[in-house]
Each structure stands twice: as C-alpha cells, then as structure tokens.
Amino acid sequence: MLIRHTFLKFLIISTALCHLSLSAKDLEFSGYARVIGGYLDEDNVDYKGYDDSLSFEPSSLIALQAEYKFSEKWSGTTQLIARADRSKDSGIEWLYLTYQATDNLQIKFGKLRAPFFSMSDYTDVGFAYPWINLPQQVYDNFLFRTFEGADLIYKFTNSNFEASIEAYIGQEDGDVNFSNTPTGFTARNLRGLIGKINKNNFELRLAHYEGNLSLNITEIHQFQRYLSDLNFGRSADSLSTKGVAKVEQIGIVYDNLDYFFRSEWVNIETDLDFIPEIQSYYVTAGFNYAPFTFHITFADSDGDSKTPVQEIPVGFDPNLDQLAQAYNSIFLDAAATDMQSWTLGARWDVLSNLALKVEYSAIEEDNGSNSFFDFDENTTFDGKSNLYLVGLEWVF
C-alpha cells in the first residue's frame, strides 16, 4: 500500500513540475508514465511478476526528468523514477553532466544509462516503441540498467548517411538474481564501443562491451575452500566467481513510417565456468494504419552451459558421491533455460502523447531450474503459457 501511495504522490508532483517548466527559462522538465495490467493463464506459476490474477505492479511506473543548461556547452540532467514493482529500485535513475564540446562531439559524466541494447536509452518509456514490454529474452539479459562513469559520442554525416561512434567506461555494483537468489555483484573496468549508421530508412548498430565481473556468493566461496582443502583444485578453480564478461550486440531497424522491421541479436559470455553462454534475439515486423499500429514478434533465448570438471571420483565412497553431487548441482542451478515466444500486439494513439496498447504472448520454454517462469517444484507445469497485457502509455 505504501508503494502505491508513493507512486500516486510522484504522479501528482511530476504533473505539477511539468507545468512549472512553462515559466523556467533554463530549466526544463519532462516525464513519462505507464500503467500496465497483465494476466497469465496458468495456475500457481509466475512469469516476470504476472500470475493468474490481474496485476498492475510489474511494469507500471512514472518518471520525471529535469535538465538545466548552465551554459551553451554544459548542462545537467537527472531522472527520478517510481516503480510500482516493489522488487525494483525507485529513486534517481540518471544523474549526469553533459559537455557539448562541438556540434559533433558530446561527453557525459555521472550516473548514466548503460547503452547495452538498441533501445537501452528508453527501455522504460513505453510510448517510444510498439510493444508493451520489450522482448524479454534480449532485454532481461543484463546485470544492471545504469553505471557510473563517462560516455563519449561522436556523430558525423554526409550526403549519403549519418553515423556515430560511442565509447564509454565506468563501473557498477548492486544485486542480481542468480539461480532465483539475490546476489551481490561488482563490475569494474567496464568499457564499451558502439558504432551506428543510418541511411534513408535503415539503421545498423554494432556493439561490443566487456568488464571485470565479480559475484558475491558466500556459499560458493565456502564450497571452493572445502574442495581445495580436499585437494580437488581443478574443481575449486572452476567455481571462481571472478572473471571477464563480454557482450556482442547487433541491431537492425527499417522503418518507412508505413511498415517497420526490427531485430536484435545478443551474445553474452563470461570467464566464469558455471555461468552459461547465452544467445538471444528477436525479430519483429509491423505496419502503421494511423492512429493504429499492429505488430508481430518472435523472440528466442538459448543457453550453452559448460561441462563441470569430472575430478571427484564417483561410486567408491558415499561421502565423495555427495560431494560430486553438490558440485554438479551448482552448474545445474546456473544452467540457462531456452525460451521462445510469439507476440501479437496493437497500439492506438489516442492523443499525440497518449497511447493505448494490447498484447498477447504465447511463451514456451524448456524446463530448467533457472527458468523464466517461477513455480513450486511440486507444481505440474509443461513450460507453456499465455500472457495477456493491456497498457496505457503517457509522455508529458
């Protein structure tokens, strides 16, 4: 109830501040809000916060952004966000300074949105894209939304195309859900390079990111020491929670205002042996029949788990059998689940800043412990379900 009251207060304050911007010369306010309701047609199963009762919590939010221009070259930006989902943080989402060095070169410093994917800058601004929720297989495969550091972008154009090169460096720490357990993490020496080119109605984006990742999993650290004490060194080393994580991303967009096509492919791999390599992508196509938009999307996510070290002898001693079982279970718990989905959706632009959306998704996954679905082990579930969403998107 407290969350809902906070959400409503934020909505009222944001609307008031929005009107204040009319009299502020160097201070500008803007914002967005979304109210999303969802229903999953499966008993005793949870998918991203949706179950067999109508819920508005997982994706509903409101955000207010303020930008102040100190001079022609310097400005400051902050964004506050209030999420209805109590499992996700609300508060300061962005807080950074921008230096517009030249017409082509821009540098940002501070707490920034991590530009992992084509739509990372506006993942929460549902009004900006046709779906209600961005394809989960791609946009849920990240550790963090923001980072602290610097971002540099250089844009250049000629008569045939527009292009940009973006580079960033920074760090971040927080919590990530690992094997359905909140786990602390740190990412240091985070760096990335993004190239983007636009020609007529076509856009191509290529990106590479990497950083030094460390997971804080006390149980694994203790088990590592135990294996080392028993001289199972290779097994202990395979449970290292520190290593380099690398991400490759390709994004393609074609949009001629009547028809559009979008696709993204992402590959994530780490030096951590028990963390699987994950490949995911989506392909979507649609058309506009103003004020309506219709679209269809196929999305897929595949995990490739590494083989555990077979160092602990099995079948000679019951204690060693239990030890081997405990070791292998860490790899099994971390194994990624393959998932595919088909989504049909429609959007109605009721006003120039207000859109109503409906969406249906047929979701199917292979059973696994690291499931997109969350359900009790005693529940009989074949990994198939349908998700129904309705949403109201607003920018102001």
Side-chain angles (χ1 to χ4, degrees):
M1 185 63 72
L2 178 61
I3 295 293
R4 290 174 181 171
H5 287 170
T6 303
F7 189 75
L8 290 174
K9 287 179 181 176
F10 200 92
L11 177 63
I12 294 170
I13 293 172
S14 300
T15 303
L17 289 175
C18 177
H19 291 295
L20 183 63
S21 68
L22 296 175
S23 60
K25 181 181 178 181
D26 298 315
L27 181 62
E28 293 185 353
F29 289 98
S30 61
Y32 55 91
R34 57 193 330 234
V35 178
I36 308 297
Y39 171 81
L40 188 73
D41 66 348
E42 191 70 36
D43 295 337
N44 302 317
V45 175
D46 183 282
Y47 175 77
K48 303 298 180 185
Y50 296 106
D51 55 25
D52 60 345
S53 61
L54 181 63
S55 174
F56 289 90
E57 273 197 13
S59 302
S60 299
L61 58 82
I62 181 168
L64 173 66
Q65 181 169 311
E67 179 178 358
Y68 184 78
K69 289 188 176 299
F70 300 100
S71 67
E72 289 187 358
K73 290 186 176 294
W74 285 95
S75 64
T77 303
T78 187
Q79 186 181 98
L80 304 176
I81 194 166
R83 302 180 188 278
D85 186 351
R86 63 196 71 186
S87 67
K88 296 180 179 177
D89 293 335
S90 296
I92 297 177
E93 186 77 358
W94 300 352
L95 181 61
Y96 61 85
L97 291 173
T98 301
Y99 178 62
Q100 191 70 44
T102 67
D103 290 341
N104 302 92
L105 179 61
Q106 182 185 77
I107 308 172
K108 297 178 181 178
F109 312 89
K111 183 177 182 180
L112 303 161
R113 177 59 60 91
F116 291 152
F117 310 114
S118 295
M119 291 174 279
S120 288
D121 285 345
Y122 49 91
T123 53
D124 293 321
V125 192
F127 189 83
Y129 44 78
W131 309 274
I132 289 182
N133 286 329
L134 293 166
Q136 303 290 293
Q137 290 94 325
V138 170
Y139 279 82
D140 263 18
N141 283 325
F142 59 84
L143 284 176
F144 45 88
R145 293 173 173 270
T146 59
F147 73 102
E148 296 176 354
D151 180 282
L152 180 152
I153 182 167
Y154 181 78
K155 298 180 180 179
F156 50 98
T157 62
N158 64 24
S159 57
N160 295 317
F161 64 85
E162 298 177 358
S164 66
I165 297 176
E166 182 176 1
Y168 66 88
I169 187 168
Q171 62 182 28
E172 183 63 356
D173 55 59
D175 293 321
V176 61
N177 193 23
F178 175 74
S179 297
N180 296 321
T181 302
T183 303
F185 77 90
T186 59
R188 295 289 181 264
N189 197 21
L190 178 68
R191 61 271 188 194
L193 187 64
I194 304 163
K196 188 163 70 174
I197 186 168
N198 296 77
K199 181 176 175 58
N200 298 328
N201 302 314
F202 178 78
E203 176 184 292
L204 173 65
R205 184 183 193 268
L206 303 174
H208 172 82
Y209 325 116
E210 62 181 70
N212 300 325
L213 175 66
S214 176
L215 300 177
N216 183 19
I217 310 176
T218 303
E219 293 78 6
I220 290 184
H221 295 163
Q222 292 174 342
F223 193 58
Q224 263 189 296
R225 289 193 289 270
Y226 185 58
L227 288 171
S228 294
D229 292 342
L230 296 174
N231 292 321
F232 294 120
R234 290 194 296 123
S235 299
D237 291 344
S238 71
L239 298 180
S240 174
T241 56
K242 296 181 180 179
V244 175
K246 297 180 180 179
V247 181
E248 315 288 344
Q249 185 263 359
I250 301 174
I252 298 173
V253 178
Y254 177 82
D255 192 335
N256 68 3
L257 300 182
D258 292 323
Y259 303 93
F260 60 88
F261 169 86
R262 287 178 174 270
S263 182
E264 275 187 81
W265 171 88
V266 177
N267 184 76
I268 303 172
E269 61 177 312
T270 74
D271 289 343
L272 281 61
D273 287 346
F274 61 93
I275 301 294
E277 180 179 351
I278 297 176
Q279 287 193 53
S280 53
Y281 71 92
Y282 70 83
V283 178
T284 188
F287 66 95
N288 299 308
Y289 185 73
F292 301 99
T293 300
F294 304 93
H295 58 89
I296 182 170
T297 300
F298 176 74
D300 179 77
S301 179
D302 298 312
D304 185 7
S305 300
K306 299 172 185 175
T307 304
V309 175
Q310 302 301 323
E311 182 184 29
I312 305 171
V314 178
F316 302 98
D317 185 304
N319 293 325
L320 289 177
D321 291 349
Q322 289 183 2
L323 187 67
Q325 184 178 7
Y327 168 75
N328 289 322
S329 69
I330 294 174
F331 284 78
L332 290 174
D333 289 344
T337 301
D338 298 345
M339 188 178 96
Q340 300 82 40
S341 66
W342 283 96
T343 297
L344 294 171
R347 166 179 176 150
W348 174 28
D349 285 289
V350 182
L351 299 171
S352 60
N353 66 338
L354 181 70
L356 176 65
K357 299 178 183 177
V358 293
E359 200 167 276
Y360 158 77
S361 294
I363 307 164
E364 179 176 354
E365 71 163 17
D366 296 337
N367 292 325
S369 56
N370 194 22
S371 169
F372 282 83
F373 292 104
D374 186 16
F375 54 95
D376 189 89
E377 61 182 8
N378 297 320
T379 299
T380 301
F381 177 53
D382 62 0
K384 301 178 182 177
S385 188
N386 299 307
L387 178 66
Y388 302 87
L389 298 174
V390 58
L392 195 62
E393 311 275 12
W394 177 37
V395 293
F396 52 89

